[in-house]
Amino acid sequence: MTRTFLQEYDVLVAGGGPSGIAAAVAAARQGAKTALVERYGILGGMLTSGHVNPILGATAPGTLLDEVLSRLGVNRMRTRNGEERGFDAEGAKQQLLEMAVEAGADVFLQTPVVEVVREGRRVTGLVIATQEGLRFLGGRVTVDATGDGFVAARAGADCRVGREEDGRCQPATLEFTVYGVEEERGITCWGGTDPVTLPDGRGYAGLCREAAARGELPENVTIVRIHRTGVPGERGINATQANGCDTLTPEGILEAEVILRAQIAPILTFLRKYAPGFEGCRLKGTGSTLGVRETRRVMGDYVISDRDVEEGARHREVVVHNAWYLIDIHNPAGGGQAEGHSQPAQPYDIPYGSLLPRGVEGMLTCGRCISGSHRAHGSYRVSGICFATGQAAGTAAALAAQQGVTPRELAVGDLQEALTRAGVTLFG
């Protein structure tokens, strides 16, 4: 497909969630003419549009994750999930947009990517839908930060969906925020193994399971996770669950929306009845988009394996060092966790090859759609790690564009040197 491009860029970034913001900021700071294309009217992806709070996942020091946490002024809390960083989502909408604009990226809001332009196997641009109609953007290098791997899939990359044995994906969730919680009494619960005890001595997690069994909660909502945000008297609720909806189709998206929005009212009733401090809580807002944990994984030159995450693999071609989060697989076929509870992980390296999609040139991936197994994806899919893979992809895209090579031809040493100059710890 050959078109005359209306605008030409060194780097095109599709998707303005955590990985896309980091990719665009990194590329622009590297001196590349950069466009960030986002389908919604705000940046932040799940952190803002999706009401996903807190920020989870860790990396070695010096990535853009650290800068984001500083800008947002997060509320830190230690749990089995590592450090949870609650934040003010309304403030984040401003801070993340300013971060991208200050870096020098051209930001296209309310602008979905509708098609990919290729010359043979090489991606050369994107077709976007604006209020003025379709527009063609040319790019020397394109970064797929869409989460669903939309750009890579349209470019013909090798994609896998769901777990290897049956293709089932983790369930979709619609997160929401409540206010009016009594801060001193209001409980938190990060998961089904969190030993939260109620004033009458009952375990909160057991109460959730019992309520689901007797119909007070929806059948698959066997745990109502409660997280602090950056605002006193406010909590983020991660509980609704829709299994088996194909969110890569319009029909599946609608099905999930109908199921999940109907679950909010009974969950609120449950919280007011049983959760200390929540007696007078009210609904502040719901995600304006589905929380989709898993769809396409774009297979790359390197596939992050279960063993990499379980044993803490080290790689010479490292671009993200000491990535860490539990192997957190929400049950694709029922409530709770697929493996009883989230499984241990060791800090591991993410190598450059996992950002290079097979069968496609001129592009990189970042965020939850990078190359890995279903179980490994259960660890690296969280926002804290997505910021770091986005920074690596954006830096690589800028260097490749400036050197006139494809991302696959780029010397990894050049990329590692640029990341180190930016303050990122890659070794040690």
Side-chain angles (χ1 to χ4, degrees):
M1 182 178 184
T2 303
R3 290 288 188 274
T4 300
F5 294 115
L6 299 183
Q7 289 173 264
E8 295 276 358
Y9 289 91
D10 296 319
V11 176
L12 298 176
V13 180
S19 68
I21 293 167
V25 168
R29 288 180 179 175
Q30 195 69 30
K33 184 180 179 184
T34 303
L36 174 58
V37 183
E38 166 55 38
R39 60 177 171 166
Y40 297 121
I42 53 177
L43 297 183
M46 287 295 101
L47 300 183
T48 52
S49 297
H51 279 246
V52 174
N53 204 336
I55 295 171
L56 299 172
T59 65
T63 70
L64 284 174
L65 170 62
D66 293 346
E67 182 177 336
V68 168
L69 297 179
S70 177
R71 290 182 74 122
L72 298 187
V74 297
N75 172 37
R76 298 172 186 266
M77 180 177 178
R78 296 296 302 180
T79 74
R80 180 174 175 263
N81 290 342
E83 184 180 69
E84 295 190 352
R85 303 95 164 190
F87 61 96
D88 176 6
E90 292 305 310
K93 294 175 183 178
Q94 175 187 354
Q95 290 291 332
L96 296 173
L97 178 59
E98 288 181 352
M99 188 175 177
V101 173
E102 289 167 4
D106 289 350
V107 180
F108 293 78
L109 296 176
Q110 298 185 20
T111 307
V113 175
V114 297
E115 192 52 275
V116 175
V117 183
R118 291 183 295 165
E119 293 179 3
R121 294 172 55 191
R122 182 165 184 165
V123 175
T124 58
L126 300 173
V127 183
I128 61 176
T130 76
Q131 290 298 319
E132 300 170 318
L134 297 182
R135 183 180 293 186
F136 297 86
L137 303 182
R140 291 184 173 87
V141 180
T142 299
V143 178
D144 186 341
T146 62
D148 289 324
F150 173 80
V151 174
R154 296 300 300 166
D158 178 12
C159 298
R160 311 290 167 82
V161 177
R163 56 190 181 188
E164 287 79 5
E165 61 269 29
D166 59 11
R168 287 180 177 265
C169 292
Q170 294 190 55
T173 288
L174 193 67
E175 298 207 17
F176 59 94
T177 305
V178 298
Y179 72 101
V181 178
E182 294 182 38
E183 189 61 39
E184 297 304 316
R185 295 178 57 237
I187 64 172
T188 61
C189 176
W190 44 256
T193 58
D194 192 355
V196 178
T197 302
L198 301 177
D200 62 6
R202 288 184 296 175
Y204 173 75
L207 177 63
C208 291
R209 291 191 293 271
E210 292 166 5
R214 62 175 176 260
E216 281 191 87
L217 285 173
E219 180 182 5
N220 285 347
V221 180
T222 56
I223 183 67
V224 178
R225 303 169 196 84
I226 304 170
H227 299 281
R228 293 182 189 274
T229 71
V231 179
E234 188 177 279
R235 296 290 190 273
I237 309 299
N238 177 357
T240 66
Q241 181 166 322
N243 292 85
C245 300
D246 183 358
T247 58
L248 293 176
T249 68
E251 297 81 5
I253 291 171
L254 176 61
E255 179 186 13
E257 283 276 358
V258 170
I259 292 170
L260 295 172
R261 292 201 177 276
Q263 292 179 354
I264 293 174
I267 292 170
L268 284 171
T269 299
F270 169 85
L271 287 171
R272 290 168 182 148
K273 183 176 180 180
Y274 295 110
F278 284 75
E279 294 84 354
C281 76
R282 300 184 67 183
L283 182 64
K284 178 179 180 179
T286 65
S288 58
T289 184
L290 290 175
V292 177
R293 295 181 175 90
E294 179 183 17
T295 49
R296 301 183 187 98
R297 305 187 313 281
V298 182
M299 296 296 99
D301 291 357
Y302 186 88
V303 180
I304 303 170
S305 69
D306 299 3
R307 186 173 179 179
D308 282 344
V309 175
E310 293 165 343
E311 299 183 3
R314 293 287 173 257
H315 293 280
R316 284 190 301 176
E317 294 194 343
V318 56
V319 292
V320 177
H321 182 46
N322 278 356
W324 182 86
Y325 191 65
L326 296 169
I327 301 173
D328 180 28
I329 306 173
H330 294 239
N331 192 353
Q337 287 278 320
E339 300 177 0
H341 55 81
S342 52
Q343 299 298 312
Q346 297 297 321
Y348 54 95
D349 287 350
I350 295 177
Y352 185 47
S354 61
L355 312 184
L356 295 171
R358 296 175 190 165
V360 180
E361 300 296 339
M363 72 167 296
L364 299 113
T365 60
C366 58
R368 68 174 170 87
C369 68
I370 66 171
S371 175
S373 69
H374 167 76
R375 293 189 76 246
H377 169 275
S379 171
Y380 63 68
R381 66 181 176 82
V382 293
S383 55
I385 299 173
C386 288
F387 277 113
T389 59
Q391 182 176 4
T395 304
L399 291 174
Q402 290 161 349
Q403 294 179 15
V405 299
T406 68
R408 187 165 274 106
E409 294 167 339
L410 179 69
V412 177
D414 290 351
L415 173 56
Q416 291 172 331
E417 183 180 344
L419 289 169
T420 301
R421 283 198 308 270
V424 177
T425 300
L426 291 178
F427 304 99

Coordinates of all heavy atoms in Angstrom, one line a residue, residues 7 13-14 34 69 88 101 106 133 151 156 180 240 255 264 272 275 287 295 300 325:
Q7 N 2.2 13.9 6.7 CA 3.3 14.3 7.6 C 4.3 13.2 7.8 O 3.9 12.0 7.7 CB 2.6 14.6 9.0 CG 1.8 15.9 9.0 CD 1.1 16.1 10.4 OE1 -0.1 15.7 10.5 NE2 1.7 16.6 11.3
V13 N 4.6 6.5 17.3 CA 4.2 5.7 18.5 C 2.7 5.5 18.5 O 2.0 6.5 18.6 CB 4.7 6.2 19.8 CG1 4.3 5.3 21.0 CG2 6.2 6.4 19.8
A14 N 2.2 4.3 18.4 CA 0.8 4.0 18.4 C 0.4 3.6 19.8 O 0.8 2.5 20.2 CB 0.4 3.0 17.4
T34 N 8.9 13.1 16.6 CA 8.1 12.0 17.1 C 6.6 12.3 17.1 O 6.3 13.4 17.5 CB 8.6 11.6 18.5 OG1 10.0 11.3 18.5 CG2 7.8 10.5 19.1
L69 N 6.8 8.4 38.7 CA 6.4 8.3 40.1 C 6.7 9.6 40.8 O 5.9 10.0 41.7 CB 7.2 7.1 40.8 CG 6.9 5.7 40.2 CD1 7.7 4.7 41.0 CD2 5.4 5.4 40.3
D88 N -3.2 10.1 42.2 CA -4.4 10.9 41.9 C -4.5 10.8 40.4 O -3.8 11.4 39.6 CB -4.2 12.3 42.3 CG -5.3 13.2 41.9 OD1 -6.3 12.7 41.4 OD2 -5.2 14.5 42.1
V101 N 4.3 16.4 25.9 CA 4.4 17.7 25.2 C 5.8 18.4 25.5 O 6.4 18.9 24.6 CB 3.3 18.6 25.5 CG1 3.5 20.0 24.9 CG2 2.0 18.0 25.0
D106 N 4.7 15.4 19.0 CA 3.4 15.8 18.5 C 2.4 14.8 19.0 O 2.5 13.6 18.7 CB 3.4 15.8 17.0 CG 4.2 17.0 16.5 OD1 4.7 17.9 17.2 OD2 4.4 17.0 15.2
G133 N -11.0 13.5 8.8 CA -11.0 12.4 7.9 C -9.7 11.6 8.1 O -9.0 11.8 9.0
V151 N -1.0 -2.9 15.6 CA -0.2 -2.5 14.5 C 0.6 -3.7 14.0 O 0.7 -3.9 12.8 CB 0.8 -1.3 14.9 CG1 1.8 -1.0 13.8 CG2 0.0 -0.1 15.2
G156 N 1.3 -8.0 9.8 CA 1.6 -9.4 9.4 C 2.6 -10.1 10.4 O 3.1 -11.2 10.1
G180 N -15.7 8.7 49.9 CA -16.5 8.6 51.1 C -16.1 7.5 52.0 O -16.9 7.1 52.9
T240 N -14.6 -6.6 39.2 CA -15.5 -7.2 38.2 C -14.7 -8.1 37.3 O -13.5 -8.0 37.1 CB -16.1 -6.0 37.4 OG1 -15.0 -5.4 36.6 CG2 -16.8 -5.0 38.2
E255 N -20.1 -7.5 24.8 CA -20.5 -8.5 25.7 C -19.8 -8.2 27.1 O -20.5 -8.3 28.1 CB -20.1 -9.9 25.2 CG -20.4 -11.0 26.1 CD -19.9 -12.4 25.7 OE1 -19.0 -12.4 24.7 OE2 -20.3 -13.4 26.2
I264 N -21.1 -3.9 38.9 CA -20.6 -2.9 39.8 C -21.6 -2.7 41.0 O -21.2 -2.5 42.2 CB -20.4 -1.6 39.1 CG1 -19.3 -1.7 38.1 CG2 -20.2 -0.4 40.0 CD1 -19.1 -0.5 37.1
R272 N -20.5 -1.9 51.1 CA -21.2 -1.1 52.1 C -21.7 -2.0 53.3 O -21.7 -1.5 54.5 CB -22.4 -0.4 51.5 CG -22.0 0.7 50.6 CD -23.1 1.2 49.7 NE -22.8 2.3 48.8 CZ -23.3 2.4 47.6 NH1 -24.3 1.6 47.2 NH2 -22.9 3.4 46.8
A275 N -17.5 -4.2 54.4 CA -16.2 -3.7 54.5 C -16.1 -2.5 55.5 O -16.8 -1.5 55.3 CB -15.7 -3.3 53.2
G287 N -14.0 3.0 34.8 CA -13.2 3.0 33.6 C -14.0 3.3 32.3 O -15.1 2.8 32.2
T295 N -4.4 -10.1 25.4 CA -4.8 -10.5 24.1 C -3.6 -11.0 23.3 O -3.1 -12.0 23.6 CB -5.5 -9.3 23.3 OG1 -4.7 -8.1 23.4 CG2 -6.9 -9.0 23.9
G300 N 8.7 -12.4 19.0 CA 9.8 -11.7 18.5 C 11.0 -12.5 18.3 O 11.0 -13.8 18.4
Y325 N 7.7 -8.5 38.8 CA 6.4 -8.6 39.4 C 6.0 -10.1 39.5 O 6.6 -10.9 38.8 CB 5.3 -7.9 38.5 CG 4.0 -7.7 39.1 CD1 3.9 -6.9 40.2 CD2 2.9 -8.4 38.6 CE1 2.6 -6.8 40.9 CE2 1.6 -8.2 39.3 CZ 1.5 -7.4 40.4 OH 0.3 -7.3 41.0

